[in-house]
Amino acid sequence: MEGDEILFYAKEPVYFVEDILLARPDENQKAILRSVAQEPMTSVRSGHGIGKSAVESWAVLWFLLTRPFPKIPCTAPTQHQLFDILWAEVHKWIRNNPALEREVTWTKEKIYMRGYPEEWFAVARTATVPDALQGFHAEHLLYIIDEASGVKDIVFEPVLGALTTPGTKLLMCGNPTRTVGFFYDSHHKNREQFGTVHVDGRDSSRVDASFIRKIEEMYGQESDVFRVRVAGEFPKSMPDSFIWMEWCERAAGREPEAGEAGTVGIGVDVARYGDDSSVLYPVIDGCRSEKFEEYFHNDTMEIAGRCIVMIKRYARKYRSARIEVKIDCDGIGAGVYDRLVESRDRVVAEVMQERAEGQGGEAAEFVLGIMECHFGGAGGKVDGGDPVEMENSTGLMWGALREKLRKGELSICSSDRLISQLSTRRYSVNSDGKIVLERKESMKKRGLKSPDIADALALALYTPRRDSYELEF
């Protein structure tokens, strides 16, 4: 670019993106770029998939190529967001333009103008330490903060100090996941100091309509998941109930169909202390609840014995069914698990002997699975096609239960206590956009008891991941 062109493009990032990068920003992306050019500070809240990373990468290259000796510190809450998404996006636009490749060098942590690696650059710094954005001094500074709702306020302090210098700019974008902090304030009490942009995913041509429909179908338009992931709005002040009461009441009123069973899942939630209860909850073929058993003590040997009694009862009732016992081993449930593993050979032998005696010497094979489960394990998606992830395995277990109730695929025991436990647990959306279920300690502070029956039901339906320890016989 010649001198006059540079002066023109320095004030016109939209034309720069279209003419130099050969990209086609939509109207929302154009609004963001114009705000960066005109305002010292720009804050963008939006739904998922509207093209934030592309805009940020365009802003990096625009500022880098239209100012002398600029510095562009970029940060995000996680290495994945910063390097795998934002930094890779910048590289894509450089790689696709031979002229840029001749002028700009891209490395895994820095992008710089050839010949000026220490004076003319953009650099990636994860926001995991307070001083991530400290120490940058230049006449032209552009701070870019991705997923800003998840960045701690202390990281913003050096940015605010630098913004007192003319020529310094800030662009921060993110899903509005938290109702506190610097990013939240930029759209509320400090709004007049910012150029604010709001992008609703329903108004973006880049957001797949099927994604919006799925979020609405699964969580409803009034849910925080829809507000954050689609509408680009901050969560409501009161958290949502993760499972709707109407689904539970419908499931409790459903008459389960009788018949044979392929699998009997037995969820075992073992009481840790106080007035919590130990619960054994059997479910047939992942859809037919049978009567749960509840015990108010912490005697792991007795609970193990109760499990053996239930195993034998269902082995008699369903002779061809596989039985899977799934035990929460985060607390004293590990003792129940160990005892069942120790007793496994005896239980199998006794069931096989009883079957042989009842069938004249020929016994149907008995398959028993003893499975170690952890509510505090890794999260992920309940199903590969889900639009959002769960923060941990508690969310995965309850998420699978939620989907069966939502779709009407499960009958549950007609128990007011169970319905209450299922429908009063709240959830929130964390700074990574993942669903976080309310902790039991928080539920108790609200005057609720531990959801032991609901946990046992969730365990009964859960399929532990292969990386968890599992014994099958």
Side-chain angles (χ1 to χ4, degrees), residues 53-287:
S53 297
V55 173
E56 291 166 338
S57 68
W58 297 337
V60 168
L61 294 173
W62 164 71
F63 204 80
L64 187 72
L65 294 169
T66 60
R67 270 88 175 156
F69 302 101
K71 293 180 181 177
I72 311 167
C74 304
T75 194
T78 65
Q79 289 189 352
H80 168 69
Q81 184 65 34
L82 180 60
F83 294 105
D84 299 341
I85 299 178
L86 175 58
W87 215 240
E89 184 74 13
V90 179
H91 188 214
K92 180 185 78 174
W93 293 103
I94 295 174
R95 189 180 66 248
N96 290 344
N97 191 316
L100 286 184
E101 283 197 303
R102 289 193 296 270
E103 300 294 331
V104 176
T105 299
W106 182 94
T107 72
K108 291 183 178 180
E109 294 185 355
K110 180 181 279 191
I111 302 163
Y112 60 88
M113 191 68 72
R114 291 189 185 276
Y116 302 97
E118 303 302 325
E119 301 171 279
W120 197 323
F121 63 82
V123 64
R125 297 271 183 89
T126 52
T128 54
V129 292
D131 61 351
L133 299 180
Q134 287 183 351
F136 293 98
H137 304 283
E139 184 179 351
H140 303 285
L141 265 174
L142 170 62
Y143 291 95
I144 292 185
I145 302 179
D146 194 20
E147 296 302 340
S149 198
V151 175
K152 295 179 180 178
D153 285 3
I154 194 170
V155 175
F156 288 97
E157 291 180 3
V159 180
L160 292 175
L163 284 166
T164 59
T165 303
T168 300
K169 292 180 176 290
L170 166 66
L171 168 62
M172 55 182 180
C173 305
N175 296 130
T177 57
R178 297 171 64 231
T179 56
V180 294
F182 187 84
F183 183 66
Y184 177 81
D185 290 343
S186 71
H187 289 268
H188 291 86
K189 69 178 185 179
N190 297 331
R191 185 184 180 97
E192 64 182 30
Q193 302 174 29
F194 289 81
T196 58
V197 181
H198 169 224
V199 184
D200 188 320
R202 291 169 290 187
D203 300 328
S204 173
S205 60
R206 301 180 183 276
V207 180
D208 194 328
S210 64
F211 168 81
I212 297 174
R213 285 196 303 271
K214 192 159 190 176
I215 292 280
E216 183 175 2
E217 177 186 326
M218 292 178 67
Y219 297 97
Q221 283 197 16
E222 298 305 312
S223 70
D224 278 345
V225 174
F226 191 92
R227 290 174 64 84
V228 171
R229 302 288 286 179
V230 175
E233 296 288 6
F234 288 94
K236 299 187 292 285
S237 58
M238 290 296 293
D240 291 308
S241 291
F242 187 61
I243 294 174
W244 296 5
M245 182 175 290
E246 64 187 73
W247 302 340
C248 303
E249 292 175 339
R250 181 181 62 190
R254 182 178 294 108
E255 192 68 30
E257 296 181 6
E260 280 301 313
T263 303
V264 179
I266 301 175
V268 183
D269 186 63
V270 185
R272 292 180 174 84
Y273 42 72
D275 60 355
D276 294 353
S277 62
S278 296
V279 181
L280 283 61
Y281 201 128
V283 178
I284 311 303
D285 291 332
C287 63

Side-chain angles (χ1 to χ4, degrees), residues 301-330:
M301 293 302 99
E302 184 174 344
I303 297 301
R306 298 286 186 179
C307 290
I308 291 171
V309 171
M310 183 174 283
I311 290 168
K312 289 183 176 180
R313 182 165 71 248
Y314 283 99
R316 294 187 195 102
K317 186 174 182 178
Y318 301 108
R319 289 180 171 269
S320 61
R322 167 191 172 91
I323 296 180
E324 298 177 344
V325 185
K326 305 167 187 180
I327 307 156
D328 173 25
C329 293
D330 283 336

